[in-house]
């Protein structure tokens, strides 16, 4: 078995402290109503904590086998739910605490069905149902199931001595069996079901096994070490619910009060407790109190619950945590390099763009918070980018809720794009559908809302696309230099998907984008997809670094749409450097200023992202 | 009261669906053992959900007043825990479900104390203890407390008609009172305590009030609308525990199974349910089932629990979520600008630096996961930067655990720095103590580990600090240009804290750092603290953008330690441009390359951060 026993000194120290504190607790004594159990060593004592990613912390007698006894009951109940329908089970066994001791008869006065599956009557009824489902294979099915929950490669087995001892002295349980037969909860002779019940109680486990079984219950029924799914999430929740209301005999209320987690104890000395989603805990110590619970087991779990703050009902308020960051388009922008005119427009109107980074498990309360935020902070002028990269999970309830909410926003005229949600399988559309607002990349989503905002502004502000001659670099040159440079530039047309240059080419040309759209990127070596680094609109200059230093291109340049560029050749520029160095210096300085703006912009974004 | 009723259409729609689904449910009938209650309109029906940040969603008769009845019991228990000690309370009232009906006598056969505070016997005992604590003011204390929990500006009041009706017909409760007197749970005449108990049960509330009271219990006792703390977290957990095990009379097991949240019902028709840390839910509908629970109340809560996935025991596995990102120093670096030699060393050995961004609530299981990761992925050669900016809360259990773990790592020779944890008040040291590894800024922490790594590398690799003449810019110039430039440079010494230039100064000088350390920053306008933008080591050039373009400085430059710079004056450089333009062009191009490296570096970091 690949159980990885780790040794994080700080956590190990806590376990050892707790162990030392209760080692000398001398209360209680081992069960004696089954002769074989009375032989247990009262000094045996082990504690194991299993995490939901499969790490174990342990101290004491954690590998020693003992019999599972009543801790088999929740598992048998889970197996019965899995094999039979939940409705069928609930017609045969209740789920109500009885207020009585573990071995009380506790049948419902009217229906005659046992109060719950954690007392003997309910457990015998449960096992009888498993037996009746497949009399031949019932024991094998049960042992396989328990072994799956414990993550054992070698199957768990029955301690034959304890089994015989229980069978030979289990008169009271036999009486219960016949009462169940009498009220038709069991519909054939109870003897064979009782045989299976005695065998089930005599299954040998170690404290380590129990901790992994508890961790499996903490993981919605999936064993965190083997990843085998023993129970589906719904059956698993049902099992935890009966443990929560009835698991510790007539000490369950006190347990829920002091410890606050679903648990089950057995007269073999085991206690198993579950922190759903987080931890499994097991303690082994044979001396029992008058309720039939392990004395050290109760003491250790109370102490661990207090010390590690594990009480399920003690939850900090998680309101206010779903939105990791909310930034406006004045501060957060795409990597698209635009003309100064467009940058200025985005700066001025960027507050209409809202970039929301959402985080955590989007359960109902989290989605509610997100929707309330969206509704409270948007108008029909707002463009919303919803970044889902940090969403850990989107439960089924939230899928429809979020879809409906987004479509409501769209109907209200709020442009709402979602990005980076591919990991949310049940939510994310399977096809690429950028048109309607689902993006793989945040940058693409940002660029899209910027484009839409600019389109609106251009329509309302200037009535049509900006004039194409506002190339920032040219505007930044003095009149004299510009006049000298213009005739040296070649105007060149590109169609969509044309390459301007390839990665590795010599940087022999400088491109000034007059109309259209150019992007820099490379082809992925694994897929044939193009990885885009940046996009350049009309008005900007590209390729200046390789050009000035005569270096190879670091990326392909591709026309994303039909485009026109003004091109300066290296030969022409070198000639200019020699013949009119003051003009060349002016141009280089303008390129340096342009690059300085890029550094500045990148650093601003960096500062913003680092704040998060 | 500032209850903000919002109208998120998607969530409102769910409530309306559920309301419509159960409006025509005609089961049960209003309580009739108290004449006044029998007058209730069986068609009254309201549902309210209150969030833990104080938003309400509601449908139906949510503002209509009715009497709180048994829903007062958990609050009275909470108040008693607050006024008296928990030990005192538990000596007088148990916390174990009785399996009996709400009005059963249910005293413990041995001790004579009531089984739990949710049945009448336990509730009467609880109220008697509150009364005995301060007979004069008991009712006032109780009403104030209930009003605090409900967030009412106008105090909750008693419905005198219902009170009189209950008092005049409460013979069974009077009998219970005298039995409690008989067993000395009540130590004076029970009449006055009973009077208070009848008044407590007759307090008028609306469905909206109950939802806010539930939300307060969901927020560890702090009212999410008024922020008034009604109960401390410990008492609050105790209240939820008795609700969880005994809140729905002898239907509590079935409720925990189907609904999975602590709850309390009253014969007035109210049901209040709590999702700890998340939501409060209230339903009002007078017709009751045989257990004494509102029929529509049960049906609505079952439906909401299923539909909104609110069952407390159905928790997704949260393992694997504590570490938001883990990056090596090869990819993530500080903003300190270094010589090419140092950058290359960091590139080569950067895998020894580990930057861990931690997120979420660091409960025990989360800290365990973090520590296991740290121990499994570090050696004594590793430098760790722990970024705590995204940690939402650090419960008390984790404070010591994390401190111990960090100090263990230090003892093992692993350099471990923490940053951005100022918001974790109980954990973060109050004094600035950068020396021992607590940093306000991630950048400072990164820079510090880089420095320590470089110090180690310099000692082992070259035996001493690098030679100071390896200024990257000079090395990047051709031999001829360098020879021409060197005599034009002025060597200048600065002492620690000397200003090289101020923000706003003309950019008349270019600085090449020969030895020491220079930082760029500004003085904060609010505090006198210096905000640092970047730091520059020996080997690098500073101030080139303002210098080349004759622009004002955008930041102060300050010597962080005794430093030497080589300085190029603008006059000298302008003369060079005119007289030897090919030399000037070479220098400008080298500066352009230097800037291009900065853009490249900033973009790399940007890509890295955007991935998160």
């Amino acid at each position: 078995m690949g159980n990885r026993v780790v040794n994080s000194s700080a956590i190990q120290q806590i376990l050892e402290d707790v162990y030392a504190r209760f080692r000398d607790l001398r209360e209680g004594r081992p069960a004696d109503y089954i002769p074989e159990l009375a032989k247990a060593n009262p000094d045996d004592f082990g504690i194991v904590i299993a995490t939901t990613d499969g790490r174990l912390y342990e101290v004491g007698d954690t590998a020693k086998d003992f019999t599972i006894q009543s801790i088999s009951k929740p598992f048998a109940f889970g197996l019965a739910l899995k094999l039979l329908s939940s409705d069928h089970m609930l017609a045969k066994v209740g789920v109500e605490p009885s207020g009585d001791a573990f071995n009380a008869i506790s049948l419902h006065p009217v229906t005659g069905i046992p109060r719950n599956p954690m007392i003997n009557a309910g457990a015998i009824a449960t096992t009888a149902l498993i037996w009746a489902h497949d009399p031949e294979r019932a024991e094998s099915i049960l042992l396989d199931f328990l072994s799956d929950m414990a993550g054992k490669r070698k199957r768990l087995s029955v301690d034959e001595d304890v089994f015989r001892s229980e069978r030979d002295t289990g008169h009271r349980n036999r009486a219960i069996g016949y009462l169940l037969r009498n009220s038709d909860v069991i519909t054939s002779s109870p003897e064979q079901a009782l045989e299976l019940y005695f065998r089930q109680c005599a299954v040998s486990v170690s404290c380590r096994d129990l901790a992994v079984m508890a961790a499996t219950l903490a993981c919605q029924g999936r064993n965190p070490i083997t990843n085998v799914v023993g129970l589906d999430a719904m059956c698993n929740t049902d099992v935890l619910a009966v443990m929560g209301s009835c698991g510790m005999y007539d000490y369950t209320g006190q347990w829920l009060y002091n410890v606050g987690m679903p648990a089950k104890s057995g007269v073999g000395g085991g206690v198993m407790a579950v922190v759903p989603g987080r931890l499994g805990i097991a303690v082994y110590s044979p001396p029992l109190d008058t309720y039939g619970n392990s004395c050290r087991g109760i003491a250790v779990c109370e102490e661990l619950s207090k010390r590690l703050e594990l009480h399920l009902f003690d939850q900090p308020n998680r309101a206010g945590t779903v939105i990791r960051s909310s930034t406006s388009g004045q501060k957060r922008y795409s990597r698209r390099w635009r003309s100064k005119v467009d940058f200025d427009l985005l700066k001025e109107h960027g507050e209409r763009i809202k970039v929301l980074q959402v985080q955590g498990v989007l359960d109902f309360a989290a989605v509610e918070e997100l929707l309330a935020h969206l509704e409270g902070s948007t108008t029909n002028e707002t463009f919303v980018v919803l970044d889902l990269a940090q969403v850990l999970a989107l439960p089924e309830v939230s899928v429809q809720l979020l879809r409906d909410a987004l479509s409501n926003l769209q109907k209200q005229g709020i442009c709402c794009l979602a990005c980076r949600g591919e990991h949310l399988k049940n939510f994310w559309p399977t096809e690429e559908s950028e048109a309607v607002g689902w993006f793989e990349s945040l940058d693409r989503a940002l660029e899209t809302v910027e484009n839409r905002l600019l389109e609106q502004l251009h329509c309302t502000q200037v009535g049509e696309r900006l004039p194409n001659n506002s190339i920032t670099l040219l505007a930044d040159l003095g009149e004299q230099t510009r006049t000298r440079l213009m005739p040296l530039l070649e105007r060149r047309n590109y169609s969509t998907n044309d390459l301007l240059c390839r990665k590795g080419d010599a940087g022999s040309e400088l491109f000034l984008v007059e109309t259209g759209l150019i992007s820099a990127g490379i082809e992925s070596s694994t897929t044939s997809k193009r990885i885009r680094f940046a996009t350049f609109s009309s008005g900007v200059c590209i390729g200046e670094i390789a050009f000035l230093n005569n270096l190879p291109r670091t990326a392909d340049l591709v026309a994303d749409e039909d485009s026109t560029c003004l091109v300066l050749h290296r030969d022409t520029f070198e000639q200019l450097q020699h013949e009119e160095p003051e003009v060349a210096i002016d141009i280089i300085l303008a390129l340096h200023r342009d690059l300085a703006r890029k550094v500045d912009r990148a650093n601003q974004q960096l500062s913003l992202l680092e704040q998060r």
Side-chain angles (χ1 to χ4, degrees), chain A:
Chain A
M1 209 23 273
N3 293 10
R4 186 157 67 97
V5 176
V6 292
N7 194 335
S8 164
S9 42
I11 290 165
Q12 188 63 29
Q13 193 55 52
I14 291 177
L15 274 202
E16 282 169 15
D17 282 359
V18 172
Y19 180 85
R21 180 160 170 198
F22 295 112
R23 192 177 39 207
D24 299 325
L25 182 79
R26 295 289 168 206
E27 287 167 22
R29 52 188 188 137
D32 54 7
Y33 70 101
I34 300 166
E36 198 63 26
L37 291 183
K39 296 179 185 168
N41 179 357
D43 290 335
D44 282 354
F45 184 23
I47 310 174
V48 182
I49 292 182
T51 71
T52 49
D53 46 4
R55 281 183 298 279
L56 300 182
Y57 296 85
E58 49 176 25
V59 60
D61 305 307
T62 57
K64 185 161 183 173
D65 279 342
F66 55 96
T67 53
I68 190 169
Q69 298 297 340
S70 291
I71 305 174
S72 65
K73 292 172 179 174
F75 295 104
F77 182 63
L79 176 59
L81 288 172
K82 185 177 170 176
L83 297 176
L84 310 162
S85 81
S86 175
D87 289 347
H88 182 77
M89 276 308 294
L90 294 183
K92 297 287 190 175
V93 186
V95 293
E96 203 61 41
S98 64
D100 302 322
F102 71 97
N103 59 356
I105 311 290
S106 278
L107 305 187
H108 192 281
V110 180
T111 59
I113 72 168
R115 294 289 188 130
N116 70 64
M118 300 294 103
I119 53 169
N120 290 5
I124 292 168
T126 303
T127 303
L129 291 166
I130 294 173
W131 179 81
H133 174 74
D134 188 347
E136 290 297 306
R137 294 177 54 243
E139 177 174 341
S140 168
I141 291 172
L142 185 58
L143 285 176
D144 282 347
F145 174 69
L146 291 173
S147 304
D148 281 351
M149 297 300 280
K152 295 293 271 196
R153 206 163 43 184
K154 188 161 164 298
R155 198 164 78 160
L156 292 169
S157 62
V158 172
D159 180 325
E160 298 291 342
D161 292 338
V162 174
F163 161 66
R164 275 188 299 273
S165 188
E166 294 209 48
R167 185 187 55 186
D168 297 346
T169 59
H171 313 305
R172 190 180 177 86
N173 285 333
R174 202 159 276 116
I176 292 173
Y178 280 98
L179 282 171
L180 292 171
R181 178 68 192 85
N182 178 58
S183 60
D184 275 338
V185 172
I186 300 183
T187 50
S188 59
S189 160
E191 285 296 342
Q192 285 176 290
L194 282 163
E195 175 100 357
L196 180 58
Y197 177 71
F198 292 133
R199 291 189 72 74
Q200 162 194 322
C201 289
V203 166
S204 271
V205 290
S206 67
C207 193
R208 211 182 275 168
D209 294 333
L210 279 188
V212 176
M213 293 168 97
T216 302
L217 292 174
C219 291
Q220 296 179 313
R222 177 189 295 272
N223 187 302
I225 295 171
T226 62
N227 275 318
V228 169
V229 176
L231 286 174
D232 67 30
M234 197 176 286
C235 292
N236 192 77
T237 302
D238 291 347
V239 169
L240 290 176
V242 291
M243 287 166 63
S245 61
C246 322
M248 299 300 283
Y249 308 119
D250 41 334
Y251 187 75
T252 302
Q254 191 74 47
W255 171 275
L256 197 63
Y257 193 85
N258 292 341
V259 182
M261 44 185 105
K264 190 70 202 85
S265 63
V267 292
V271 176
M272 168 189 86
V274 177
V275 187
R278 303 310 261 155
L279 297 174
I281 298 174
V283 186
Y284 167 53
S285 164
L288 309 181
D289 63 18
T290 53
Y291 299 101
N293 295 320
S294 164
C295 293
R296 289 200 190 96
I298 297 273
V300 166
C301 289
E302 284 194 12
E303 176 71 12
L304 287 177
S305 174
K306 284 208 175 56
R307 195 147 164 182
L308 309 183
E309 296 178 28
L310 302 178
H311 200 296
L312 261 187
F313 293 165
D314 186 24
Q315 299 285 344
N317 183 357
R318 277 182 287 152
T321 63
V322 65
I323 293 161
R324 175 182 195 71
S325 71
S326 168
T327 323
S328 88
Q330 284 179 317
K331 288 193 160 180
R332 186 77 176 95
Y333 21 72
S334 76
R335 291 202 183 179
R336 170 130 166 204
W337 199 251
R338 299 174 190 273
S339 66
K340 193 172 171 310
V341 180
D342 279 357
F343 274 143
D344 286 349
L345 276 173
L346 286 177
K347 193 92 199 159
E348 188 182 348
H349 299 275
E351 89 287 349
R352 288 177 54 191
I353 294 173
K354 211 172 158 70
V355 186
L356 289 183
Q357 208 181 2
V358 181
Q359 68 182 353
V361 174
L362 287 199
D363 62 10
F364 169 75
V367 171
E368 184 283 323
E369 188 179 325
L370 171 61
L371 300 188
H373 180 92
L374 278 173
E375 295 187 14
S377 64
T378 52
T379 70
N380 60 6
E381 292 235 299
T382 313
F383 297 80
V384 177
V385 175
L386 215 54
D387 180 4
L388 303 173
Q390 297 309 327
V391 173
L392 296 174
L394 192 69
E396 209 50 54
V397 48
S398 309
V399 169
Q400 198 54 45
L401 207 51
L402 201 52
R403 282 222 188 98
D404 288 353
L406 295 185
S407 102
N408 279 342
L409 289 173
Q410 301 279 14
K411 275 179 211 152
Q412 289 166 44
I414 297 166
C415 167
C416 196
L417 308 183
C419 66
R420 306 205 292 181
E422 311 87 76
H423 58 299
L424 307 169
K425 306 277 182 217
N426 48 359
F427 176 66
W428 204 249
T430 45
E431 287 166 49
E432 185 90 6
S433 49
E434 295 209 351
V436 297
W438 307 87
F439 291 81
E440 276 182 25
S441 111
L442 172 59
D443 191 54
R444 276 287 195 195
L446 288 171
E447 183 183 340
T448 302
V449 292
E450 287 169 359
N451 289 347
R452 294 195 190 170
L453 176 56
L454 284 173
E455 276 164 28
Q456 276 194 12
L457 294 173
H458 290 175
C459 290
T460 56
Q461 297 212 335
V462 283
E464 55 181 7
R465 298 282 298 171
L466 282 182
N468 293 321
N469 57 1
S470 63
I471 293 176
T472 308
L473 184 79
L474 298 178
D476 195 32
L477 291 172
E479 180 62 36
Q480 215 173 343
T481 308
R482 187 165 56 243
T483 310
R484 183 66 195 89
L485 176 62
M486 285 306 286
L488 303 179
L489 298 173
E490 173 200 354
R491 176 169 284 112
R492 205 182 288 164
N493 295 313
Y494 296 97
S495 302
T496 308
N497 291 330
D498 277 358
L499 272 169
L500 281 68
C501 64
R502 265 186 206 287
K503 184 179 172 186
D505 286 355
S508 53
E509 293 172 338
L510 177 75
F511 303 95
L512 306 180
V513 186
E514 199 179 33
T515 68
L517 196 63
I518 310 293
S519 73
I522 52 169
E523 250 177 47
S524 162
S525 54
T526 47
T527 67
S528 66
K529 243 178 170 175
R530 186 164 288 282
I531 302 167
R532 193 183 70 127
F533 298 152
T535 307
F536 304 92
S537 303
S538 62
V540 312
C541 106
I542 332 175
E544 74 283 6
I545 294 170
F547 173 79
L548 284 181
N549 297 291
N550 204 12
L551 292 170
R553 300 291 185 192
T554 55
D556 302 339
L557 290 179
V558 180
D560 282 354
E561 54 185 61
D562 292 352
S563 305
T564 313
C565 291
L566 301 177
V567 182
L568 178 62
H569 294 264
R570 197 170 162 78
D571 294 346
T572 317
F573 189 62
E574 275 179 359
Q575 199 176 344
L576 195 69
Q577 280 185 52
H578 286 115
E579 291 170 6
E580 299 166 78
E582 72 287 358
V583 177
I585 285 176
D586 257 15
I587 293 169
I588 299 173
L589 286 176
L591 287 169
H592 191 271
R593 283 193 296 277
D594 198 46
L595 193 59
R597 278 189 289 267
K598 285 180 184 166
V599 178
D600 193 40
R601 207 168 158 84
N603 280 334
Q604 274 177 35
Q605 291 293 286
L606 210 50
S607 295
L608 189 71
L609 292 182
E610 279 179 343
Q611 277 164 24
R612 294 186 187 169

